[in-house]
Amino acid sequence: MAELLFGTGGSPHSAKSASTIDGIERIAELGLGCMELEFVQGVRMGEAGARLVAETAVRVGVKLSAHGPYFINLNAREPEKIRASQDRILQTARIASLCGANSITFHAAFYMGDSPEKTYGTVKKYLAEILDRLKRENNRVCVRPEVMGKVTQFGTLEEILNLSSELEGVAPCIDFAHWHARSGGFNSYPEFASILEQVEERLGRTALDDMHIHVSGINYGKKGEISHLNLKESDFQYAELLKALKDFGAKGILICESRNLEEDALLLQATYGAL
Ligand SMILES: [Zn+2]
């Protein structure tokens, strides 16, 4: 991608209606560049709807990504829950592809009391099956497990970078607010820069040229993330992150998940633009 685009997770609050089409049009009106389709309660969009979404996004010049359902756990105890989780990721990828999105993200798993190593092996195995299937379907959507904010959730920065380097078709979705909440650190320029250095070292320059980033204000405790906030109500040093992204020439999409969505997305875009 040629630049770093800013947008919202889901339709902006100020859209005419909650419909995806109105959301995409509002993104363009606001002068933002991208939007994440939130399939978090399930993939309820049909194929015809997805084609309309794709047309709209192309017409107004908005880049799309998609977020898979919350009810995904590739480390579930019951085999049927694993299958259902795989199906939800596949469904997200299929509809996202019809929408013209080239990147999907999702919350991969919970540790469920297993060691991180054992969980990693399980997630990797079931994710590989998904990639295999998508390849056979000729679906080229980039599959991006997200860096997660709670200590019970699979998805440390290292786990996500490891999956990305070991599985073809996988790349990271780096949620910098989650990582700050989970680690209690990673809230300064040198720390943000160290993450970007790691991305380049592990995955190559192309990974920095095509990033999928989440940012929001965040409230957290000992076990990590508690809730999303607006940036100015939180301690998240977004200006430092933006400076690091700019200095590293990071490109791709930056999705704002603050409660106020477009307000913070515009704040991020303006702050970045003024650097
Ligand atoms: Zn997420």
Side-chain angles (χ1 to χ4, degrees):
M1 279 221 276
E3 55 186 330
L4 184 61
L5 300 175
F6 293 81
T8 54
S11 290
H13 295 306
S14 58
K16 248 190 312 192
S17 80
S19 83
T20 303
I21 304 268
D22 283 344
I24 294 168
E25 287 181 341
R26 184 64 186 150
I27 288 285
E29 281 169 15
L30 289 166
L32 293 167
C34 57
M35 188 176 107
E36 189 144 287
L37 307 167
E38 298 279 8
F39 298 139
V40 295
Q41 304 300 338
V43 184
R44 288 173 188 154
M45 189 181 286
E47 293 189 7
R51 293 207 166 84
L52 266 177
V53 164
E55 278 171 33
T56 307
V58 168
R59 178 168 49 80
V60 299
V62 169
K63 196 152 176 63
L64 298 177
S65 57
H67 196 303
Y70 288 141
F71 306 103
I72 285 172
N73 182 4
L74 293 176
N75 191 35
R77 304 294 90 162
E78 305 84 346
E80 62 272 21
K81 284 194 185 164
I82 301 221
R83 296 286 161 254
S85 295
Q86 289 181 305
D87 282 343
R88 288 182 183 119
I89 296 170
L90 285 166
Q91 241 349 74
T92 303
R94 289 171 186 141
I95 292 295
S97 173
L98 290 175
C99 287
N102 53 15
S103 183
I104 65 162
T105 187
F106 53 94
H107 307 171
F110 290 88
Y111 296 112
M112 312 290 291
D114 288 349
S115 69
E117 295 73 22
K118 180 162 188 260
T119 307
Y120 183 87
T122 305
V123 170
K124 186 180 166 188
K125 173 178 152 205
Y126 292 123
L127 202 50
E129 291 179 4
I130 292 168
L131 296 165
D132 218 50
R133 183 74 181 265
L134 290 175
K135 199 168 184 184
R136 278 186 280 132
E137 293 177 11
N138 215 1
N139 183 320
R140 288 155 181 250
V141 160
C142 185
V143 172
R144 300 187 186 247
E146 185 173 333
V147 170
M148 298 308 302
K150 295 181 187 150
V151 298
T152 52
Q153 294 171 306
F154 172 84
T156 62
L157 180 66
E158 197 186 4
E159 285 164 343
I160 300 303
L161 293 181
N162 285 344
L163 282 177
S164 303
S165 73
E166 290 180 15
L167 293 173
E168 201 195 320
V170 171
C173 172
I174 301 184
D175 189 318
F176 284 94
H178 278 168
W179 192 235
H180 166 49
R182 183 172 188 151
S183 65
F186 288 94
N187 199 24
S188 67
Y189 181 91
E191 291 166 306
F192 294 132
S194 77
I195 293 176
L196 299 173
E197 263 163 29
Q198 263 192 78
V199 169
E200 183 164 17
E201 264 168 38
R202 300 286 317 275
L203 310 175
R205 176 67 223 181
T206 49
L208 286 183
D209 287 336
D210 182 23
M211 294 194 78
H212 188 150
I213 296 166
H214 284 178
V215 173
S216 68
I218 197 154
N219 180 20
Y220 55 95
K222 266 196 213 132
K223 292 180 178 172
E225 173 190 9
I226 295 172
S227 60
H228 286 196
L229 300 172
N230 297 332
L231 286 168
K232 287 188 170 163
E233 296 163 353
S234 81
D235 69 355
F236 190 68
Q237 301 297 314
Y238 61 91
E240 306 239 328
L241 169 62
L242 294 169
K243 178 134 191 8
L245 290 170
K246 188 146 219 176
D247 288 349
F248 278 76
K251 301 177 186 79
I253 55 171
L254 188 153
I255 298 295
C256 175
E257 293 186 324
S258 289
R259 287 193 180 150
N260 64 13
L261 292 177
E262 65 265 43
E263 252 177 77
D264 274 358
L266 289 165
L267 170 67
L268 290 162
Q269 182 173 263
T271 308
Y272 183 82
L275 289 172

